[in-house]
mmCIF file of all heavy atoms in Angstrom:
data_model
loop_
_atom_site.group_PDB
_atom_site.id
_atom_site.type_symbol
_atom_site.label_atom_id
_atom_site.label_comp_id
_atom_site.label_asym_id
_atom_site.label_seq_id
_atom_site.Cartn_x
_atom_site.Cartn_y
_atom_site.Cartn_z
ATOM 1 N N SER A 281 101.750 120.001 21.420
ATOM 2 C CA SER A 281 102.559 118.985 20.728
ATOM 3 C C SER A 281 102.265 117.588 21.272
ATOM 4 O O SER A 281 102.159 116.629 20.508
ATOM 5 C CB SER A 281 104.046 119.308 20.839
ATOM 6 O OG SER A 281 104.450 119.363 22.188
ATOM 7 N N THR A 282 102.121 117.463 22.600
ATOM 8 C CA THR A 282 101.801 116.157 23.197
ATOM 9 C C THR A 282 100.436 115.681 22.727
ATOM 10 O O THR A 282 100.271 114.523 22.332
ATOM 11 C CB THR A 282 101.829 116.243 24.733
ATOM 12 O OG1 THR A 282 103.135 116.615 25.150
ATOM 13 C CG2 THR A 282 101.433 114.921 25.366
ATOM 14 N N LEU A 283 99.448 116.579 22.749
ATOM 15 C CA LEU A 283 98.106 116.200 22.312
ATOM 16 C C LEU A 283 98.095 115.804 20.834
ATOM 17 O O LEU A 283 97.406 114.853 20.451
ATOM 18 C CB LEU A 283 97.121 117.337 22.585
ATOM 19 C CG LEU A 283 96.885 117.630 24.066
ATOM 20 C CD1 LEU A 283 95.995 118.857 24.235
ATOM 21 C CD2 LEU A 283 96.293 116.431 24.781
ATOM 22 N N ALA A 284 98.888 116.483 20.015
ATOM 23 C CA ALA A 284 98.949 116.136 18.591
ATOM 24 C C ALA A 284 99.518 114.731 18.398
ATOM 25 O O ALA A 284 99.000 113.952 17.595
ATOM 26 C CB ALA A 284 99.787 117.168 17.838
ATOM 27 N N VAL A 285 100.568 114.398 19.151
ATOM 28 C CA VAL A 285 101.155 113.051 19.056
ATOM 29 C C VAL A 285 100.150 112.005 19.518
ATOM 30 O O VAL A 285 99.968 110.968 18.874
ATOM 31 C CB VAL A 285 102.457 112.959 19.881
ATOM 32 C CG1 VAL A 285 102.902 111.509 20.049
ATOM 33 C CG2 VAL A 285 103.556 113.780 19.226
ATOM 34 N N LEU A 286 99.478 112.269 20.632
ATOM 35 C CA LEU A 286 98.498 111.310 21.142
ATOM 36 C C LEU A 286 97.357 111.108 20.161
ATOM 37 O O LEU A 286 96.929 109.980 19.909
ATOM 38 C CB LEU A 286 97.963 111.775 22.498
ATOM 39 C CG LEU A 286 98.960 111.722 23.645
ATOM 40 C CD1 LEU A 286 98.372 112.367 24.896
ATOM 41 C CD2 LEU A 286 99.403 110.306 23.931
ATOM 42 N N GLU A 287 96.848 112.193 19.604
ATOM 43 C CA GLU A 287 95.746 112.073 18.646
ATOM 44 C C GLU A 287 96.172 111.306 17.394
ATOM 45 O O GLU A 287 95.399 110.526 16.851
ATOM 46 C CB GLU A 287 95.215 113.461 18.286
ATOM 47 C CG GLU A 287 94.442 114.088 19.436
ATOM 48 C CD GLU A 287 94.161 115.569 19.249
ATOM 49 O OE1 GLU A 287 94.557 116.145 18.212
ATOM 50 O OE2 GLU A 287 93.554 116.143 20.154
ATOM 51 N N ALA A 288 97.424 111.512 16.963
ATOM 52 C CA ALA A 288 97.910 110.838 15.754
ATOM 53 C C ALA A 288 98.203 109.357 15.989
ATOM 54 O O ALA A 288 97.951 108.526 15.115
ATOM 55 C CB ALA A 288 99.169 111.542 15.240
ATOM 56 N N HIS A 289 98.738 109.007 17.166
ATOM 57 C CA HIS A 289 99.219 107.644 17.388
ATOM 58 C C HIS A 289 98.369 106.812 18.340
ATOM 59 O O HIS A 289 98.499 105.593 18.369
ATOM 60 C CB HIS A 289 100.664 107.682 17.910
ATOM 61 C CG HIS A 289 101.607 108.277 16.930
ATOM 62 N ND1 HIS A 289 102.127 107.571 15.871
ATOM 63 C CD2 HIS A 289 102.122 109.530 16.827
ATOM 64 C CE1 HIS A 289 102.913 108.359 15.164
ATOM 65 N NE2 HIS A 289 102.935 109.552 15.717
ATOM 66 N N PHE A 290 97.532 107.450 19.136
ATOM 67 C CA PHE A 290 96.708 106.734 20.118
ATOM 68 C C PHE A 290 95.270 107.255 20.092
ATOM 69 O O PHE A 290 94.798 107.833 21.068
ATOM 70 C CB PHE A 290 97.291 106.889 21.530
ATOM 71 C CG PHE A 290 98.670 106.330 21.679
ATOM 72 C CD1 PHE A 290 99.779 107.153 21.609
ATOM 73 C CD2 PHE A 290 98.861 104.971 21.874
ATOM 74 C CE1 PHE A 290 101.057 106.632 21.739
ATOM 75 C CE2 PHE A 290 100.134 104.444 22.006
ATOM 76 C CZ PHE A 290 101.235 105.282 21.940
ATOM 77 N N PRO A 291 94.563 107.050 18.988
ATOM 78 C CA PRO A 291 93.186 107.545 18.938
ATOM 79 C C PRO A 291 92.362 106.924 20.068
ATOM 80 O O PRO A 291 92.530 105.755 20.400
ATOM 81 C CB PRO A 291 92.681 107.094 17.562
ATOM 82 C CG PRO A 291 93.689 106.145 17.033
ATOM 83 C CD PRO A 291 94.948 106.296 17.811
ATOM 84 N N GLY A 292 91.557 107.738 20.702
ATOM 85 C CA GLY A 292 90.735 107.251 21.808
ATOM 86 C C GLY A 292 91.433 107.313 23.155
ATOM 87 O O GLY A 292 90.918 106.794 24.141
ATOM 88 N N PHE A 293 92.614 107.974 23.230
ATOM 89 C CA PHE A 293 93.304 108.067 24.516
ATOM 90 C C PHE A 293 92.427 108.813 25.522
ATOM 91 O O PHE A 293 91.577 109.611 25.140
ATOM 92 C CB PHE A 293 94.665 108.761 24.365
ATOM 93 C CG PHE A 293 94.594 110.239 24.096
ATOM 94 C CD1 PHE A 293 94.689 111.142 25.140
ATOM 95 C CD2 PHE A 293 94.438 110.716 22.806
ATOM 96 C CE1 PHE A 293 94.626 112.506 24.901
ATOM 97 C CE2 PHE A 293 94.370 112.069 22.560
ATOM 98 C CZ PHE A 293 94.462 112.971 23.611
ATOM 99 N N LEU A 294 92.606 108.496 26.801
ATOM 100 C CA LEU A 294 91.841 109.175 27.847
ATOM 101 C C LEU A 294 92.503 110.514 28.136
ATOM 102 O O LEU A 294 93.571 110.580 28.727
ATOM 103 C CB LEU A 294 91.774 108.340 29.124
ATOM 104 C CG LEU A 294 90.939 107.077 29.070
ATOM 105 C CD1 LEU A 294 90.951 106.371 30.421
ATOM 106 C CD2 LEU A 294 89.511 107.387 28.657
ATOM 107 N N ASP A 295 91.866 111.568 27.721
ATOM 108 C CA ASP A 295 92.342 112.926 27.937
ATOM 109 C C ASP A 295 92.450 113.204 29.429
ATOM 110 O O ASP A 295 91.694 112.651 30.232
ATOM 111 C CB ASP A 295 91.324 113.875 27.286
ATOM 112 C CG ASP A 295 91.666 115.317 27.461
ATOM 113 O OD1 ASP A 295 91.398 115.852 28.555
ATOM 114 O OD2 ASP A 295 92.184 115.925 26.515
ATOM 115 N N LYS A 296 93.374 114.074 29.806
ATOM 116 C CA LYS A 296 93.571 114.377 31.225
ATOM 117 C C LYS A 296 92.303 114.918 31.870
ATOM 118 O O LYS A 296 92.110 114.775 33.065
ATOM 119 C CB LYS A 296 94.725 115.350 31.420
ATOM 120 C CG LYS A 296 94.467 116.736 30.903
ATOM 121 C CD LYS A 296 95.655 117.627 31.186
ATOM 122 C CE LYS A 296 95.302 119.040 30.808
ATOM 123 N NZ LYS A 296 95.752 120.004 31.737
ATOM 124 N N ASN A 297 91.412 115.520 31.077
ATOM 125 C CA ASN A 297 90.185 116.065 31.644
ATOM 126 C C ASN A 297 89.152 114.985 31.954
ATOM 127 O O ASN A 297 88.155 115.248 32.612
ATOM 128 C CB ASN A 297 89.594 117.113 30.707
ATOM 129 C CG ASN A 297 90.504 118.316 30.600
ATOM 130 O OD1 ASN A 297 90.988 118.831 31.609
ATOM 131 N ND2 ASN A 297 90.772 118.744 29.389
ATOM 132 N N LEU A 298 89.388 113.766 31.471
ATOM 133 C CA LEU A 298 88.477 112.652 31.767
ATOM 134 C C LEU A 298 88.964 111.830 32.951
ATOM 135 O O LEU A 298 88.342 110.841 33.310
ATOM 136 C CB LEU A 298 88.356 111.749 30.540
ATOM 137 C CG LEU A 298 87.721 112.373 29.316
ATOM 138 C CD1 LEU A 298 87.776 111.414 28.134
ATOM 139 C CD2 LEU A 298 86.302 112.794 29.597
ATOM 140 N N TRP A 299 90.082 112.238 33.538
ATOM 141 C CA TRP A 299 90.694 111.487 34.636
ATOM 142 C C TRP A 299 90.820 112.398 35.834
ATOM 143 O O TRP A 299 91.227 113.535 35.697
ATOM 144 C CB TRP A 299 92.061 110.976 34.190
ATOM 145 C CG TRP A 299 92.498 109.766 34.926
ATOM 146 C CD1 TRP A 299 93.459 109.718 35.877
ATOM 147 C CD2 TRP A 299 91.991 108.450 34.812
ATOM 148 N NE1 TRP A 299 93.587 108.441 36.356
ATOM 149 C CE2 TRP A 299 92.689 107.643 35.713
ATOM 150 C CE3 TRP A 299 90.994 107.867 34.032
ATOM 151 C CZ2 TRP A 299 92.443 106.283 35.856
ATOM 152 C CZ3 TRP A 299 90.756 106.515 34.174
ATOM 153 C CH2 TRP A 299 91.471 105.748 35.070
ATOM 154 N N PRO A 300 90.446 111.944 37.028
ATOM 155 C CA PRO A 300 90.525 112.832 38.194
ATOM 156 C C PRO A 300 91.962 113.261 38.500
ATOM 157 O O PRO A 300 92.880 112.447 38.448
ATOM 158 C CB PRO A 300 89.960 111.995 39.338
ATOM 159 C CG PRO A 300 89.816 110.621 38.832
ATOM 160 C CD PRO A 300 89.991 110.606 37.355
ATOM 161 N N ALA A 301 92.117 114.543 38.810
ATOM 162 C CA ALA A 301 93.435 115.054 39.194
ATOM 163 C C ALA A 301 93.852 114.456 40.533
ATOM 164 O O ALA A 301 93.003 114.074 41.346
ATOM 165 C CB ALA A 301 93.386 116.574 39.294
ATOM 166 N N SER A 302 95.134 114.365 40.750
ATOM 167 C CA SER A 302 95.679 113.863 42.022
ATOM 168 C C SER A 302 95.083 112.512 42.392
ATOM 169 O O SER A 302 94.555 112.333 43.487
ATOM 170 C CB SER A 302 95.438 114.873 43.142
ATOM 171 O OG SER A 302 96.051 116.094 42.827
ATOM 172 N N SER A 303 95.144 111.577 41.459
ATOM 173 C CA SER A 303 94.573 110.253 41.703
ATOM 174 C C SER A 303 95.612 109.152 41.494
ATOM 175 O O SER A 303 95.406 108.246 40.683
ATOM 176 C CB SER A 303 93.366 110.019 40.802
ATOM 177 O OG SER A 303 93.731 110.190 39.449
ATOM 178 N N PRO A 304 96.722 109.192 42.224
ATOM 179 C CA PRO A 304 97.760 108.173 42.010
ATOM 180 C C PRO A 304 97.290 106.754 42.337
ATOM 181 O O PRO A 304 97.838 105.794 41.795
ATOM 182 C CB PRO A 304 98.889 108.616 42.938
ATOM 183 C CG PRO A 304 98.234 109.466 43.967
ATOM 184 C CD PRO A 304 97.084 110.127 43.269
ATOM 185 N N ASP A 305 96.278 106.611 43.177
ATOM 186 C CA ASP A 305 95.779 105.280 43.511
ATOM 187 C C ASP A 305 95.053 104.623 42.341
ATOM 188 O O ASP A 305 94.737 103.435 42.393
ATOM 189 C CB ASP A 305 94.834 105.342 44.715
ATOM 190 C CG ASP A 305 95.535 105.736 45.986
ATOM 191 O OD1 ASP A 305 96.768 105.561 46.058
ATOM 192 O OD2 ASP A 305 94.871 106.212 46.913
ATOM 193 N N LEU A 306 94.777 105.398 41.300
ATOM 194 C CA LEU A 306 94.093 104.857 40.123
ATOM 195 C C LEU A 306 95.016 104.740 38.914
ATOM 196 O O LEU A 306 94.603 104.291 37.865
ATOM 197 C CB LEU A 306 92.891 105.745 39.758
ATOM 198 C CG LEU A 306 91.804 105.852 40.819
ATOM 199 C CD1 LEU A 306 90.741 106.847 40.378
ATOM 200 C CD2 LEU A 306 91.185 104.492 41.102
#
Side-chain angles (χ1 to χ4, degrees):
S281 59
T282 299
L283 294 175
V285 167
L286 291 173
E287 288 167 0
H289 297 279
F290 299 98
F293 72 95
L294 290 181
D295 178 281
K296 68 178 187 138
N297 294 313
L298 295 175
W299 205 253
S302 301
S303 56
D305 293 338
L306 298 175

